[in-house]
Amino acid sequence: MQSSADLGKLLLRVVLGVLILFHGVSKLIHGPGYILGVVTGAGLPSFLAYGVYVGEVVAPLLLLLGYWTRLGGLIIVINMLVAIGLVHLGQLATLADTGGWALELQGMFLGTALAIMLLGAGRYSFGGSNGRWN
């Protein structure tokens, strides 16, 4: 039974890591201009915009490797809360044209990151299942 739980943890880590990493790679290619505008528009210091690279490049790599996985999950949770607060707050109580919650993708990313943070990496990871942050 433990083997299937470890496979489930691996699946959660890989799916979330790959999907969030796509966002990070896009920002590496196109730069953080949009994020800089949002952050400074909210009256926050511009250097905070570069935290998006930690949340969308470093943290997903931690998940994919299974190294400091709980920390990677926590960073993604924080990243998603900031993204929802700065960009998507107006959509919090709205439905999309298709009838689903307007923030279902962000909600799924947030919920999955929380689950990974609580569950840890599992056996199929570089950090192993016994590490404090795994």
Side-chain angles (χ1 to χ4, degrees):
M1 190 60 156
Q2 183 61 34
S3 179
S4 65
D6 287 323
L7 283 172
K9 292 174 187 179
L10 174 65
L11 182 62
L12 282 173
R13 286 186 7 243
V14 168
V15 169
L16 182 63
V18 167
L19 292 176
I20 295 284
L21 189 58
F22 275 123
H23 288 268
V25 168
S26 173
K27 287 175 184 70
L28 286 172
I29 293 169
H30 299 102
Y34 173 74
I35 303 300
L36 276 166
V38 170
V39 167
T40 57
L44 298 169
S46 61
F47 75 88
L48 290 177
Y50 293 94
V52 75
Y53 292 120
V54 176
E56 294 184 5
V57 176
V58 175
L61 291 174
L62 292 175
L63 296 188
L64 289 169
L65 293 172
Y67 189 75
W68 286 15
T69 305
R70 291 179 193 268
L71 178 62
L74 174 63
I75 292 169
I76 292 173
V77 166
I78 293 167
N79 189 66
M80 291 311 305
L81 290 173
V82 170
I84 290 169
L86 291 178
V87 179
H88 302 288
L89 203 55
Q91 299 169 297
L92 199 57
T94 63
L95 297 178
D97 293 338
T98 57
W101 184 34
L103 298 182
E104 59 191 17
L105 179 63
Q106 293 82 0
M108 184 60 75
F109 285 169
L110 178 60
T112 304
L114 275 169
I116 291 169
M117 189 180 80
L118 295 170
L119 293 170
R123 180 170 42 151
Y124 304 116
S125 64
F126 281 109
S129 59
N130 296 327
R132 178 178 179 189
W133 288 97
N134 275 336

